[in-house]
């Protein structure tokens, strides 16, 4: 989704317009996450950018998209550009330190 959302509408309260924009963004995330993932893929991941225009949009994390839209609205912007592109995501398992795991179990046995 590459879209320029207007934050002001004739005859509507700005807070309601902002809530409608955030609702559209959340709805898009939900719709994309509910799509079937291809074989060998664990989940849908997203590349996100938010800014006042497409030229000055900055990369943000998925969890920061709504906050970035809020910040743009609080700064008095009349519109905000949101770009969300879905991509394949693979889970990466963290390597555990075997010595740390053994120490944890030793401490439990001593207690």
């Amino acid at each position: 989704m590459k879209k320029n959302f207007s934050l002001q509408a004739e005859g509507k309260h700005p807070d309601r317009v902002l809530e409608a924009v955030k609702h559209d963004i959340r709805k898009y995330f939900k719709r994309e996450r509910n799509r079937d993932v291809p074989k060998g893929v664990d989940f849908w991941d997203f590349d996100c950018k938010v800014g006042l225009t497409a030229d000055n949009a900055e990369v943000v994390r998925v969890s920061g998209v709504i906050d970035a839209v809020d910040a743009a609205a609080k700064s008095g912007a009349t519109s905000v550009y949101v770009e969300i592109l879905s991509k394949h995501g693979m889970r990466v398992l963290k390597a555990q330190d075997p010595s740390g795991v053994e120490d944890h179990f030793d401490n439990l046995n001593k207690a």
Side-chain angles (χ1 to χ4, degrees), residues 4 8-9 16 21 23 32 54 60 64 74 90 96 105:
N4 197 8
Q8 296 178 348
R16 300 295 72 83
V21 168
H23 175 74
E32 288 296 307
V60 294
K74 286 180 183 175
M90 298 294 296
Q96 291 185 351
F105 286 121

PDB file of all heavy atoms in Angstrom, residues 4 8-9 16 21 23 32 54 60 64 74 90 96 105:
ATOM      1  N   ASN A   4      -1.342   8.380   0.210  1.00  0.00           N
ATOM      2  CA  ASN A   4      -1.262   9.677   0.852  1.00  0.00           C
ATOM      3  C   ASN A   4      -2.609   9.939   1.523  1.00  0.00           C
ATOM      4  O   ASN A   4      -3.610  10.152   0.844  1.00  0.00           O
ATOM      5  CB  ASN A   4      -0.933  10.756  -0.187  1.00  0.00           C
ATOM      6  CG  ASN A   4      -0.442  12.017   0.450  1.00  0.00           C
ATOM      7  OD1 ASN A   4      -0.198  12.063   1.644  1.00  0.00           O
ATOM      8  ND2 ASN A   4      -0.310  13.041  -0.359  1.00  0.00           N
ATOM      9  N   GLN A   8      -7.327  16.106   7.103  1.00  0.00           N
ATOM     10  CA  GLN A   8      -8.378  17.104   7.299  1.00  0.00           C
ATOM     11  C   GLN A   8      -9.480  16.847   6.285  1.00  0.00           C
ATOM     12  O   GLN A   8      -9.206  16.613   5.113  1.00  0.00           O
ATOM     13  CB  GLN A   8      -7.832  18.508   7.114  1.00  0.00           C
ATOM     14  CG  GLN A   8      -6.801  18.892   8.139  1.00  0.00           C
ATOM     15  CD  GLN A   8      -6.234  20.280   7.897  1.00  0.00           C
ATOM     16  OE1 GLN A   8      -6.455  20.863   6.853  1.00  0.00           O
ATOM     17  NE2 GLN A   8      -5.506  20.779   8.880  1.00  0.00           N
ATOM     18  N   ALA A   9     -10.724  16.891   6.757  1.00  0.00           N
ATOM     19  CA  ALA A   9     -11.872  16.716   5.867  1.00  0.00           C
ATOM     20  C   ALA A   9     -12.922  17.754   6.224  1.00  0.00           C
ATOM     21  O   ALA A   9     -13.129  18.075   7.407  1.00  0.00           O
ATOM     22  CB  ALA A   9     -12.444  15.309   5.997  1.00  0.00           C
ATOM     23  N   ARG A  16     -11.483  12.396  14.426  1.00  0.00           N
ATOM     24  CA  ARG A  16     -12.212  11.301  13.779  1.00  0.00           C
ATOM     25  C   ARG A  16     -11.537  10.920  12.459  1.00  0.00           C
ATOM     26  O   ARG A  16     -11.479   9.747  12.097  1.00  0.00           O
ATOM     27  CB  ARG A  16     -13.665  11.692  13.502  1.00  0.00           C
ATOM     28  CG  ARG A  16     -14.470  12.043  14.734  1.00  0.00           C
ATOM     29  CD  ARG A  16     -14.702  10.899  15.724  1.00  0.00           C
ATOM     30  NE  ARG A  16     -13.586  10.443  16.508  1.00  0.00           N
ATOM     31  CZ  ARG A  16     -13.138  10.990  17.642  1.00  0.00           C
ATOM     32  NH1 ARG A  16     -13.712  12.043  18.137  1.00  0.00           N
ATOM     33  NH2 ARG A  16     -12.117  10.476  18.279  1.00  0.00           N
ATOM     34  N   VAL A  21      -7.957   6.998   9.533  1.00  0.00           N
ATOM     35  CA  VAL A  21      -6.687   6.676   8.865  1.00  0.00           C
ATOM     36  C   VAL A  21      -6.012   5.510   9.574  1.00  0.00           C
ATOM     37  O   VAL A  21      -5.562   4.558   8.934  1.00  0.00           O
ATOM     38  CB  VAL A  21      -5.771   7.919   8.825  1.00  0.00           C
ATOM     39  CG1 VAL A  21      -4.365   7.543   8.401  1.00  0.00           C
ATOM     40  CG2 VAL A  21      -6.345   8.975   7.910  1.00  0.00           C
ATOM     41  N   HIS A  23      -7.427   3.274  11.400  1.00  0.00           N
ATOM     42  CA  HIS A  23      -8.239   2.084  11.174  1.00  0.00           C
ATOM     43  C   HIS A  23      -7.899   1.448   9.818  1.00  0.00           C
ATOM     44  O   HIS A  23      -7.776   0.221   9.720  1.00  0.00           O
ATOM     45  CB  HIS A  23      -9.722   2.430  11.245  1.00  0.00           C
ATOM     46  CG  HIS A  23     -10.619   1.280  10.911  1.00  0.00           C
ATOM     47  ND1 HIS A  23     -10.832   0.227  11.766  1.00  0.00           N
ATOM     48  CD2 HIS A  23     -11.348   1.010   9.798  1.00  0.00           C
ATOM     49  CE1 HIS A  23     -11.651  -0.641  11.198  1.00  0.00           C
ATOM     50  NE2 HIS A  23     -11.987  -0.188   9.992  1.00  0.00           N
ATOM     51  N   GLU A  32      -3.385  -8.402   5.151  1.00  0.00           N
ATOM     52  CA  GLU A  32      -2.157  -8.985   4.615  1.00  0.00           C
ATOM     53  C   GLU A  32      -1.685 -10.161   5.461  1.00  0.00           C
ATOM     54  O   GLU A  32      -1.200 -11.163   4.926  1.00  0.00           O
ATOM     55  CB  GLU A  32      -1.055  -7.924   4.537  1.00  0.00           C
ATOM     56  CG  GLU A  32      -1.278  -6.903   3.450  1.00  0.00           C
ATOM     57  CD  GLU A  32      -1.257  -7.507   2.062  1.00  0.00           C
ATOM     58  OE1 GLU A  32      -0.287  -8.200   1.721  1.00  0.00           O
ATOM     59  OE2 GLU A  32      -2.229  -7.299   1.318  1.00  0.00           O
ATOM     60  N   ALA A  54       6.087  11.449  -0.093  1.00  0.00           N
ATOM     61  CA  ALA A  54       6.795  10.227  -0.479  1.00  0.00           C
ATOM     62  C   ALA A  54       8.304  10.454  -0.520  1.00  0.00           C
ATOM     63  O   ALA A  54       9.084   9.540  -0.256  1.00  0.00           O
ATOM     64  CB  ALA A  54       6.301   9.737  -1.837  1.00  0.00           C
ATOM     65  N   VAL A  60      10.214   3.072   9.175  1.00  0.00           N
ATOM     66  CA  VAL A  60       9.792   2.825  10.557  1.00  0.00           C
ATOM     67  C   VAL A  60       9.466   1.345  10.712  1.00  0.00           C
ATOM     68  O   VAL A  60       9.209   0.641   9.735  1.00  0.00           O
ATOM     69  CB  VAL A  60       8.558   3.674  10.959  1.00  0.00           C
ATOM     70  CG1 VAL A  60       8.894   5.138  10.986  1.00  0.00           C
ATOM     71  CG2 VAL A  60       7.391   3.410  10.058  1.00  0.00           C
ATOM     72  N   GLY A  64       5.763   1.007  14.860  1.00  0.00           N
ATOM     73  CA  GLY A  64       5.866   2.449  14.938  1.00  0.00           C
ATOM     74  C   GLY A  64       5.083   3.205  13.889  1.00  0.00           C
ATOM     75  O   GLY A  64       5.130   4.438  13.863  1.00  0.00           O
ATOM     76  N   LYS A  74      -0.034  15.510  15.030  1.00  0.00           N
ATOM     77  CA  LYS A  74       0.201  16.476  16.108  1.00  0.00           C
ATOM     78  C   LYS A  74       1.052  17.647  15.640  1.00  0.00           C
ATOM     79  O   LYS A  74       0.984  18.732  16.204  1.00  0.00           O
ATOM     80  CB  LYS A  74       0.862  15.783  17.294  1.00  0.00           C
ATOM     81  CG  LYS A  74      -0.091  14.903  18.060  1.00  0.00           C
ATOM     82  CD  LYS A  74       0.581  14.237  19.234  1.00  0.00           C
ATOM     83  CE  LYS A  74      -0.400  13.300  19.925  1.00  0.00           C
ATOM     84  NZ  LYS A  74       0.236  12.540  21.001  1.00  0.00           N
ATOM     85  N   MET A  90      11.075 -14.944   7.713  1.00  0.00           N
ATOM     86  CA  MET A  90      11.574 -16.217   8.233  1.00  0.00           C
ATOM     87  C   MET A  90      12.000 -16.012   9.683  1.00  0.00           C
ATOM     88  O   MET A  90      12.688 -15.047  10.003  1.00  0.00           O
ATOM     89  CB  MET A  90      12.779 -16.695   7.415  1.00  0.00           C
ATOM     90  CG  MET A  90      12.450 -16.967   5.953  1.00  0.00           C
ATOM     91  SD  MET A  90      11.322 -18.339   5.724  1.00  0.00           S
ATOM     92  CE  MET A  90      12.289 -19.672   6.331  1.00  0.00           C
ATOM     93  N   GLN A  96      21.467 -20.326  21.950  1.00  0.00           N
ATOM     94  CA  GLN A  96      21.532 -20.264  23.399  1.00  0.00           C
ATOM     95  C   GLN A  96      22.917 -20.673  23.863  1.00  0.00           C
ATOM     96  O   GLN A  96      23.540 -21.582  23.301  1.00  0.00           O
ATOM     97  CB  GLN A  96      20.491 -21.184  24.024  1.00  0.00           C
ATOM     98  CG  GLN A  96      19.081 -20.717  23.812  1.00  0.00           C
ATOM     99  CD  GLN A  96      18.103 -21.591  24.562  1.00  0.00           C
ATOM    100  OE1 GLN A  96      18.460 -22.625  25.096  1.00  0.00           O
ATOM    101  NE2 GLN A  96      16.856 -21.160  24.608  1.00  0.00           N
ATOM    102  N   PHE A 105      19.863 -24.187  35.626  1.00  0.00           N
ATOM    103  CA  PHE A 105      19.345 -25.411  36.225  1.00  0.00           C
ATOM    104  C   PHE A 105      20.063 -25.738  37.518  1.00  0.00           C
ATOM    105  O   PHE A 105      19.472 -26.231  38.461  1.00  0.00           O
ATOM    106  CB  PHE A 105      19.450 -26.587  35.241  1.00  0.00           C
ATOM    107  CG  PHE A 105      18.432 -26.503  34.132  1.00  0.00           C
ATOM    108  CD1 PHE A 105      18.821 -26.446  32.810  1.00  0.00           C
ATOM    109  CD2 PHE A 105      17.082 -26.492  34.406  1.00  0.00           C
ATOM    110  CE1 PHE A 105      17.893 -26.369  31.795  1.00  0.00           C
ATOM    111  CE2 PHE A 105      16.132 -26.420  33.392  1.00  0.00           C
ATOM    112  CZ  PHE A 105      16.548 -26.349  32.092  1.00  0.00           C
TER     113      PHE A 105
END
